[in-house]
Amino acid sequence: METFPKKRIEIMVETPLMGRVIGILDDLDVSGYTVMPAIAGRGQDGSWHRDGQVGRVGSVVQIVCIVDGAREDDVLEPLFSLVSRQIGIVTVSDVNVVRSEHF
C-alpha cells in the first residue's frame, strides 16, 4: 500500500489556551485536528494529576494535527509564538498517511 510523508504536530497547553491554538489552526486552514484531555503527567515542575482541580485553569489538553511538510513552518511559527509565552510544548514528528488528500 502506498503511503505519503506528512508532519504530525502536537501542542500541549493549559485548557484556557486551547481556543487560541484552535483559532490559529483554523486561520491557517489546517484541514483537521483532535483535542484530547491530558489526565496526568510529569514535567519540569514535577508530577501533576487532573483529579481535584477546580475549573479549567491547570488542566492540560493535547491538540494534534497532521500537515504537509511544505506547510510545517507556516503552522509552527504562530504556534511557537503563542506557546513560548505560556505553559506548553510543541512537538513535530514525521508520519506516513494512507490518504494524502486529507492533509
Side-chain angles (χ1 to χ4, degrees):
M1 175 173 285
E2 184 177 15
T3 62
F4 304 89
K6 301 293 176 184
K7 298 292 182 175
R8 177 182 169 120
I9 301 173
E10 299 179 23
I11 308 106
M12 296 279 293
V13 292
E14 289 184 306
T15 302
L17 200 57
M18 176 182 67
R20 292 176 62 191
V21 171
I22 289 172
I24 289 170
L25 298 177
D26 287 342
D27 289 347
L28 293 170
D29 292 323
V30 170
S31 62
Y33 49 81
T34 301
V35 179
M36 298 167 278
I39 298 169
R42 181 175 171 181
Q44 271 185 317
D45 296 328
S47 297
W48 58 271
H49 199 284
R50 185 179 202 164
D51 286 349
Q53 292 182 2
V54 178
R56 295 174 6 147
V57 175
S59 65
V60 177
V61 294
Q62 179 183 41
I63 303 160
V64 178
C65 64
I66 297 174
V67 299
D68 190 79
R71 300 195 61 209
E72 178 182 5
D73 287 339
D74 293 337
V75 175
L76 286 178
E77 278 187 35
L79 289 174
F80 179 75
S81 178
L82 175 63
V83 172
S84 66
R85 300 182 312 261
Q86 309 289 333
I87 295 172
I89 60 170
V90 177
T91 62
V92 179
S93 54
D94 294 321
V95 296
N96 290 315
V97 300
V98 176
R99 299 186 299 183
S100 181
E101 67 279 1
H102 285 258
F103 310 98

